[in-house]
């Protein structure tokens, strides 16, 4: 007898989505899909616009990681101009990128995932949120909020405002920064490092109690993709692409991000507006790979900063070869935040940062430009073709979250098979399916350009595709 | 050709002002029958359009607005952009997609165009709207509230039906 | 030179005979809104934003084109005028694609600042979303019809100051478009001297320096005053 339950909407993810869980006649889960149901279409609406506008226009895709879009877009613009940007501009871009990774990861960890981690997956939903956290340990939550504030403040000090700053441009950035700004950034670093040490300690202490989740929320072998520096260290702004496998081997190295289309394919399915990128040599869907904090830590040999290095060495011991448990995205995120704060400190001490010359001037010299950088959620590519007069003829965006699409689908399926039984649906079971998605910190508005009504729906279907239960919240 | 005397048609004017309808004796001099300014009209190029109850007054207003929109030179903003918006509202009334706010905006825009347009085209563009609103308000209300065209002229679209429900 | 005394917004002011109400008001710190007027160019009275009420006259008058008269009583900021101005700016915002957040002139746009000053926080009209081209064929400048309000400042400055008359308006009504020469791409215009005066007088982001990104476009209009003054005073002769 078909029955229907609704959970609507899902909490603590950025954007809107739906999950379908297929159930056989015996009530066992056979498969699951993660649908992104809406569409925004930035690739289309920028056609006919001058490429100089792209950093500002593309940053409007997202209010959480506008900096990533500004950077990838500006870098594509640099390529269209055919210039090397001034050192100060490159340093500013690096600084602000680290600041954004810090604030975005802080949001994901403290605001969105900490309630699951520190209050428990089965805590009552009314308490399982940042306000419930505040009741328990206000100081810890405040530290998280201040970490995010620190990242946002750097963006504001350098770019002029926290969200969507008019700052990046093809050829560099719009303004130089002064000593007062730099000193303010420096002054907040000790507190940030202290907060991160505390968060890392706390997370590591509770990890043992999540053994089942670590085992069954997105734990499977995949490839990992990210940017590394020439030395093979963590790199977020400008480097070459490395692809590693689950055993920790390097599958491909030194790939030019500009030629991403030669090794990354983009499939699409009618059940989702989110593209399904895959590693071309292994085809679709076999070329499944993960990006973001977990992937970056897996492929880089070291962090390149002392404190993060120590944590990273310890982290790598959690896997045989690569760390394949998606649950460890949380830990990876904290380590990346530590690395970001250390990098911010290094950049603040760099005399190049404050040079006055921040923009290279040139006319258009190319018709095709690609820009890439590491966004908080993974590798981001912006690819523009322009006409003789610099108007966008075609744009293609390859967004971090969409590169995790195949892995998120597999995570949902794995979590549903283990935790969900169609006979007795409990809230905590479904929260674990959601938590599987939360590991990836997906930013759905970025990846699909979706708009419209917020909804998160879990559907349970039988073999014939009939809806048994629908859970909306 | 002998025109009837002015005196003969005074009664007709009264009749018109009372009932908005007039039965014209043959060969009546028009200016004798209709004191145009008095009833809010102008002679223009000398044309006269005769309509009966099968003409939808909203659609008539829309038709004249379309004419003004097409003829606007585009120099001043109230006429260039205002006629476009007024035409859009009138069109939506005839398809059943308009609401009470649109009717208010139609009146507001009429004032704007009359008072601020640069030349006579824009200043008089709202006249058909103002006149039909004055003499046939029930036709506007039927379109907006009942999604119905009393003259049986307008086709209400699916979008219009949605507004109604 | 005859001087007239009149009242503007309950303030007694004086101006030279023949001067426009608009100019006299601004000289006395009464800033009547405008988009088509710019000091140094002829007035066309197209935007209708500077309309004022004159005591004893039923009709509103465009203050940029109405000369002062002795004893005149003018009001520049009544509820009726404010309502009209708000509507006019809303009509402009709905007419083309004025998207401030991704516009080169964001933060230095007369349409944007006027909308803010009039308290426009939403537009009551349906946006028209026309499909309009961007002309970036010129080596140094660009023209984005999406941001154009057809004020014709570019047309006038090119004709009256530069003397090239590259710009003009084609089409009519809502289909009006600024064109260079007979509709050639700007980069192919034979009359354009690439002086850039049109770019400096544009009130919105319609004309811009090529290569400028969002919110980067800033304008310098100082040239208008010294060219116009030098011509009037014949400062270059002798």
């Amino acid at each position: 007898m078909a029955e229907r339950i609704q959970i609507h909407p899902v909490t603590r993810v950025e954007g809107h989505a739906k999950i379908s869980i297929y159930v056989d006649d015996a009530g066992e889960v056979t498969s699951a899909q993660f649908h992104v149901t809406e569409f925004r279409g930035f690739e289309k609406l920028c056609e006919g616009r001058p490429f100089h506008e792209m950093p500002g226009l593309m940053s409007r895709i997202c209010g959480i990681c506008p900096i990533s879009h500004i950077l990838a877009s500006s870098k594509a613009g640099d390529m269209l101009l055919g210039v090397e940007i001034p050192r100060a501009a490159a340093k500013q871009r690096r600084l602000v990128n680290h600041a954004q990774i810090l604030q975005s990861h802080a949001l994901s960890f403290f605001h969105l995932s900490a309630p699951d981690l520190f209050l428990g997956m089965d805590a009552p939903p009314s308490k399982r949120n940042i306000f419930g956290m505040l009741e328990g340990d206000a100081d810890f939550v405040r530290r998280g909020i201040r970490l995010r504030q620190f990242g946002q403040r750097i963006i504001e000090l350098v770019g002029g405002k926290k969200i969507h700053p008019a700052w990046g441009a093809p050829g560099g950035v719009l303004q130089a920064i002064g000593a007062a700004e730099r000193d303010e950034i420096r002054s907040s670093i000790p507190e940030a490092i202290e907060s991160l040490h505390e968060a890392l300690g706390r997370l590591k202490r509770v990890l043992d109690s999540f053994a089942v989740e670590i085992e069954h929320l997105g734990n499977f072998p995949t490839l990992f993709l990210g940017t590394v520096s020439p030395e093979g260290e963590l790199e977020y702004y400008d480097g070459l692409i490395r692809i590693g496998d689950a055993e920790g081997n390097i599958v491909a190295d030194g790939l030019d991000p500009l030629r991403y289309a030669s090794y990354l394919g983009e499939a699409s399915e009618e059940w989702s507006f989110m593209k399904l990128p895959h590693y071309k040599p292994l085809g679709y869907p076999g070329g499944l790979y993960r990006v973001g904090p977990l992937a970056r830590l897996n492929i880089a040999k070291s962090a390149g900063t002392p404190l993060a290095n120590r944590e990273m060495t310890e982290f790598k011991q959690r896997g045989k070869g690569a760390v394949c448990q998606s649950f460890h995205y949380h830990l990876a995120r904290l380590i990346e935040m530590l690395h970001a704060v250390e990098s911010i400190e290094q950049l603040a001490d760099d005399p190049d940062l404050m040079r006055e010359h921040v923009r290279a001037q040139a006319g258009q010299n190319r018709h095709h430009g690609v820009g890439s950088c590491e966004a908080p959620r993974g590798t981001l590519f912006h690819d523009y073709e322009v006409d003789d007069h610099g108007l966008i003829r075609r744009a293609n965006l390859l967004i971090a979250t969409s590169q995790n699409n195949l892995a998120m689908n597999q995570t949902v399926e794995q979590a549903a098979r283990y935790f969900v039984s169609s006979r007795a649906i409990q809230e905590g079971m479904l929260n674990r399916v959601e938590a599987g998605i939360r590991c990836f910190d997906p930013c759905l508005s970025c990846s699909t350009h979706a708009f419209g009504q917020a909804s998160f729906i879990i559907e349970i279907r039988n073999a014939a595709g009939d809806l048994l239960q629908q859970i909306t919240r | 050709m002998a025109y009837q005397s002015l005196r003969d048609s005074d009664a007709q004017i009264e009749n018109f002002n009372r009932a908005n309808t007039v039965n014209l004796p043959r060969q009546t001099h028009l200016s004798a029958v209709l004191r145009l300014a008095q009833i809010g009209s102008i002679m223009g190029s000398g044309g006269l359009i005769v309509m009966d109850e099968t003409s939808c007054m909203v659609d008539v207003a829309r038709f004249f607005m379309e004419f003004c929109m097409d003829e606007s030179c585009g120099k001043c903003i109230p006429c260039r952009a205002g006629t476009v918006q007024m035409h859009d509202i009138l069109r939506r009334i005839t398809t059943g997609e308009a609401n009470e706010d649109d009717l208010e905006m139609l009146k507001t825009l009429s004032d704007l165009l009359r008072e601020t347009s640069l030349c006579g085209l824009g200043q008089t563009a709202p006249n058909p709207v103002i006149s039909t609103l004055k003499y046939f308000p029930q036709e506007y209300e039927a379109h907006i509230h009942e999604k119905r065209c009393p003259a049986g002229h307008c086709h209400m679209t699916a979008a219009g039906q949605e507004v109604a429900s | 030179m005859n001087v007239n005394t009149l009242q503007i917004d309950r303030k007694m002011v004086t101006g030279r005979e023949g001067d426009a109400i608009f100019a006299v008001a601004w000289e006395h710190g009464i800033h009547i809104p405008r988009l088509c007027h710019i000091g140094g160019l002829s007035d066309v009275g197209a935007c209708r934003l500077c309309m004022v009420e004159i005591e004893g006259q039923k009709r509103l008058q465009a203050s940029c084109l109405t000369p002062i008269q002795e004893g005149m009583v003018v009001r520049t900021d009544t509820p009726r005028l404010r309502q009209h101005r708000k509507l006019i700016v809303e009509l402009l915002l709905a007419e083309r694609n004025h998207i401030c957040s991704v516009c080169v002139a964001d933060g230095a746009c007369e349409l944007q600042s006027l909308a803010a000053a009039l308290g426009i926080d939403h537009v009551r009209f349906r946006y028209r979303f026309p499909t309009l081209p961007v002309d970036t064929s010129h080596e140094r400048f660009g023209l984005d019809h999406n941001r154009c309000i057809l004020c014709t400042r570019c047309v006038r400055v090119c004709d009256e100051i530069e003397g090239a008359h590259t710009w003009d308006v084609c089409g009519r009504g809502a289909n009006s478009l600024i064109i260079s020469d007979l509709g050639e791409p700007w980069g192919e215009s034979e009359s354009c001297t690439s002086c850039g005066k049109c770019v400096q007088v544009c009130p919105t982001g319609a004309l811009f320096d090529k290569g400028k990104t969002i919110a980067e476009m800033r304008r310098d209009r100082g040239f208008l005053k010294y060219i116009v003054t030098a011509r009037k005073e014949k400062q270059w002769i002798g």
Side-chain angles (χ1 to χ4, degrees):
Chain A
M1 197 56 211
E3 50 179 331
R4 183 180 281 215
I5 311 168
Q6 287 203 321
I7 309 178
H8 178 97
V10 87
T11 51
R12 294 178 282 137
V13 293
E14 289 134 10
H16 323 302
K18 177 175 95 162
I19 287 173
S20 296
I21 300 173
Y22 294 87
V23 184
D24 65 14
D25 293 336
E28 293 303 313
V29 173
T30 58
S31 69
Q33 279 173 341
F34 175 63
H35 310 260
V36 176
T37 48
E38 287 163 87
F39 178 70
R40 283 177 80 197
F42 267 71
E43 291 169 345
K44 209 67 198 163
L45 63 82
C46 68
E47 283 176 10
R49 302 299 310 173
F51 75 86
H52 284 95
E53 290 182 0
M54 288 305 113
L57 201 157
M58 289 301 190
S59 79
R60 295 281 160 172
I61 290 173
C62 186
I64 296 165
C65 53
I67 299 300
S68 305
H69 292 293
I70 292 178
L71 288 183
S73 186
S74 299
K75 285 180 76 180
D78 301 343
M79 186 173 165
L80 289 167
L81 299 176
V83 295
E84 186 177 332
I85 66 166
R87 268 184 286 173
K91 297 274 160 79
Q92 271 197 33
R93 287 186 186 178
R94 282 176 182 278
L95 173 69
V96 173
N97 199 24
H98 285 303
Q100 182 195 233
I101 285 181
L102 178 65
Q103 68 86 5
S104 173
H105 281 3
L107 171 70
S108 167
F109 185 81
F110 290 95
H111 300 62
L112 305 182
S113 288
D116 291 336
L117 298 169
F118 299 112
L119 300 176
M121 295 279 177
D122 297 303
S126 60
K127 293 283 174 203
R128 207 175 54 213
N129 52 49
I130 194 163
F131 300 105
M133 290 282 295
L134 270 168
E135 284 173 21
D137 191 347
D139 181 63
F140 182 60
V141 176
R142 205 170 288 125
R143 278 182 178 277
I145 294 170
R146 281 179 61 78
L147 274 171
R148 175 148 201 262
Q149 182 190 29
F150 178 40
Q152 295 278 62
R153 179 67 182 150
I154 295 173
I155 298 171
E156 186 179 23
L157 285 169
V158 178
K161 63 178 180 178
K162 292 187 185 83
I163 302 171
H164 303 133
W167 159 75
V173 298
L174 294 195
Q175 61 268 327
I177 68 169
E181 286 81 24
R182 183 205 52 197
D183 294 344
E184 188 183 330
I185 293 169
R186 270 183 183 158
S187 68
S188 300
I189 286 170
E191 186 199 318
I193 289 183
E194 201 188 306
S195 299
L196 284 165
H197 277 313
E198 189 185 333
L200 274 162
R202 285 195 184 213
L203 176 61
K204 284 189 234 168
R205 282 197 293 280
V206 298
L207 276 180
D208 287 345
S209 60
F210 289 99
V212 176
E213 284 81 5
I214 291 171
E215 192 58 29
H216 298 284
L217 286 182
N219 178 21
F220 41 77
T222 60
L223 299 177
F224 295 97
L225 180 145
T227 309
V228 289
S229 71
E231 297 78 31
E233 293 172 340
L234 288 179
E235 170 60 51
Y236 296 85
Y237 170 67
D238 200 13
L240 295 173
I241 301 289
R242 176 181 283 178
I243 298 173
D245 67 13
E247 280 77 48
N249 306 310
I250 295 174
V251 173
D253 201 12
L255 299 174
D256 189 345
L258 309 181
R259 295 171 25 84
Y260 76 98
S262 68
Y263 48 89
L264 299 181
E266 299 179 40
S268 61
E269 295 280 2
E270 59 184 24
W271 45 264
S272 181
F273 276 120
M274 180 146 60
K275 291 191 277 202
L276 296 138
H278 52 277
Y279 180 50
K280 265 188 182 169
L282 299 186
Y284 172 76
L288 145 89
Y289 64 91
R290 280 180 272 184
V291 294
L294 185 69
R296 289 189 286 245
L297 262 54
N298 273 332
I299 56 156
K301 89 176 177 335
S302 60
T305 56
L307 297 176
N309 243 347
R310 223 165 48 210
E311 293 292 339
M312 200 164 148
T313 311
E314 192 191 309
F315 177 83
K316 281 179 176 290
Q317 288 164 3
R318 291 180 187 271
K320 302 182 193 79
V323 178
C324 287
Q325 298 94 334
S326 297
F327 201 83
H328 287 317
Y329 265 100
H330 296 304
L331 184 52
R333 217 163 264 134
L334 285 178
I335 297 170
E336 284 202 317
M337 285 163 75
L338 193 57
H339 174 260
V341 175
E342 288 183 282
S343 305
I344 288 165
E345 187 174 23
Q346 285 177 2
L347 284 161
D349 290 336
D350 190 327
D352 281 346
L353 181 70
M354 289 171 54
R355 285 171 185 264
E356 291 289 318
H357 181 46
V358 293
R359 182 112 175 244
Q361 295 295 338
Q364 179 196 340
N365 287 301
R366 288 206 183 98
H367 288 89
H368 184 212
V370 178
S372 87
C373 66
E374 286 293 326
R377 290 156 189 80
T379 318
L380 169 68
F381 300 88
H382 278 220
D383 174 357
Y384 308 140
E385 253 173 51
V386 298
D387 68 11
D388 289 345
H389 301 308
L391 302 181
I392 300 283
R393 194 180 272 163
R394 180 193 66 85
N396 189 43
L397 308 177
L398 191 51
I399 310 283
T401 291
S402 68
Q403 296 175 73
N404 278 332
N405 197 3
L406 279 168
M408 286 192 286
N409 268 288
Q410 201 159 318
T411 299
V412 164
E413 186 172 325
Q414 191 184 39
R417 278 174 193 272
Y418 188 82
F419 293 108
V420 178
S421 156
S422 75
R423 307 207 184 287
I425 298 233
Q426 281 163 13
E427 200 278 334
M429 281 157 54
L430 297 162
N431 185 40
R432 282 176 175 80
V433 179
E434 295 174 43
I437 292 297
R438 257 175 235 139
C439 290
F440 295 87
D441 184 24
C443 182
L444 306 173
S445 54
C446 274
S447 56
T448 70
H449 312 160
F451 60 84
Q453 196 193 333
S455 68
F456 193 96
I457 304 169
I458 294 182
E459 292 179 357
I460 298 182
R461 292 178 181 274
N462 66 13
D466 300 329
L467 189 69
L468 295 181
Q469 295 189 353
Q470 187 179 19
I471 299 125
T472 45
R473 189 160 65 203
Chain B
M1 188 176 289
Y3 294 120
Q4 290 198 336
S5 73
L6 288 176
R7 237 184 60 192
D8 288 344
S9 25
D10 278 354
Q12 300 286 6
I13 295 169
E14 286 309 307
N15 188 21
F16 183 92
N17 286 342
R18 260 201 321 277
N20 300 336
T21 56
V22 59
N23 296 317
L24 294 175
R26 280 168 63 92
Q27 294 186 326
T28 305
H29 191 292
L30 196 60
S31 65
V33 184
L34 307 173
R35 302 232 166 99
L36 292 169
Q38 228 178 59
I39 57 171
S41 185
I42 52 172
M43 196 63 241
S45 60
L48 175 74
I49 299 170
V50 180
M51 289 175 263
D52 63 12
E53 68 280 1
T54 62
S55 293
C56 168
M57 286 300 112
V58 184
D59 190 61
V60 165
R62 187 206 59 76
F63 169 81
F64 283 113
M65 192 54 68
E66 185 176 15
F67 173 83
C68 291
M69 180 175 80
D70 290 344
E71 292 303 315
S72 170
C73 79
K75 179 173 175 178
C76 79
I77 303 164
C79 172
R80 181 182 78 224
T83 51
V84 170
Q85 291 294 345
M86 288 185 79
H87 179 263
D88 184 60
I89 295 173
L90 290 163
R91 182 192 58 76
R92 284 189 285 114
I93 296 176
T94 61
T95 56
E97 294 163 75
N99 59 29
E100 191 65 34
D101 291 346
D102 289 312
L103 197 58
E104 271 313 300
M105 183 47 80
L106 204 53
K107 293 172 187 165
T108 310
L109 279 172
S110 295
D111 287 345
L112 178 80
L113 266 68
R114 204 158 37 90
E115 293 190 3
T116 67
S117 291
L118 182 61
C119 80
L121 186 115
Q123 287 159 11
T124 57
N127 283 2
V129 176
I130 295 167
S131 304
T132 50
L133 274 172
K134 184 174 171 192
Y135 293 113
F136 305 96
Q138 70 284 1
E139 294 210 16
Y140 281 84
E141 280 153 19
H143 283 81
I144 289 170
H145 299 305
E146 300 159 34
K147 308 294 169 195
R148 180 179 67 81
C149 176
H153 175 88
C154 302
H155 299 286
M156 302 293 156
T157 62
Q161 298 304 327
E162 225 163 82
V163 172
S165 62
Chain C
M1 182 182 66
N2 283 332
V3 170
N4 291 153
T5 302
L6 67 156
Q7 211 192 80
I8 305 180
D9 291 347
R10 304 207 174 122
K11 191 171 169 181
M12 292 305 294
V13 299
T14 53
R16 289 174 298 269
E17 190 178 286
D19 276 0
I21 297 171
F22 181 89
V24 175
W26 272 64
E27 275 167 30
H28 291 84
I30 298 164
H31 294 166
I32 304 173
R34 80 283 184 258
L35 284 172
C36 66
H37 167 91
I38 184 168
L41 301 184
S42 65
D43 281 312
V44 287
C47 74
R48 317 308 283 168
L49 286 161
C50 73
M51 293 194 103
V52 293
E53 291 178 13
I54 299 171
E55 214 169 273
Q57 292 189 29
K58 212 175 143 214
R59 306 182 83 138
L60 304 177
Q61 298 294 339
S63 63
C64 66
L65 289 172
T66 310
I68 55 167
Q69 275 169 15
E70 185 65 36
M72 210 179 215
V73 177
V74 180
R75 291 197 193 284
T76 74
D77 193 24
T78 64
R80 171 162 74 140
L81 292 171
R82 274 200 296 275
Q83 189 192 333
H84 284 342
R85 285 174 188 148
K86 217 171 153 177
L87 270 177
I88 289 171
V89 173
E90 283 182 59
L91 283 171
L92 278 179
L93 292 172
E95 186 180 32
R96 293 192 179 185
N97 305 305
H98 295 284
I99 303 161
C100 300
S101 60
V102 295
C103 176
V104 289
D106 181 22
C109 169
E110 291 178 46
L111 179 63
Q112 187 185 39
S113 55
L114 182 58
L118 291 171
I120 295 174
D121 49 17
H122 68 289
V123 171
R124 288 169 283 178
F125 304 113
R126 292 211 169 179
Y127 286 94
R128 309 298 305 168
F129 296 125
T131 304
L132 293 168
V134 181
D135 181 351
T136 46
S137 60
H138 193 282
E139 197 187 338
R140 289 167 49 207
F141 311 117
L143 163 60
D144 184 353
H145 292 288
N146 294 286
R147 318 279 196 243
C148 177
I149 56 168
L150 297 164
C151 67
T152 68
R153 284 184 190 179
C154 53
V155 177
R156 285 173 282 148
V157 80
C158 187
D159 176 42
E160 296 168 17
I161 307 294
E162 178 63 11
H165 202 130
T166 299
W167 295 117
D168 219 313
V169 183
C170 82
R172 61 186 310 145
N175 298 318
S176 303
L177 274 189
I178 296 292
I179 49 164
S180 44
D181 290 354
L182 292 172
E184 288 93 349
W186 192 359
E188 288 167 29
S189 161
E190 286 180 14
S191 65
C192 175
T193 63
S194 301
C195 72
K197 292 185 180 68
C198 51
V199 177
Q200 299 305 331
V201 298
C202 179
T204 68
L207 289 163
F208 55 92
D209 291 332
K210 220 167 143 179
K212 288 282 193 272
T213 189
I214 309 298
E216 198 189 1
M217 190 62 205
R218 297 295 179 263
R219 301 175 202 278
D220 177 9
R221 287 159 183 173
F223 74 92
L224 262 177
K225 190 167 187 177
Y226 74 69
I227 294 181
V228 171
T229 311
R231 271 192 198 154
K232 206 158 94 190
E233 311 289 335
K234 298 195 188 303
Q235 285 171 344
W236 291 305
I237 293 171

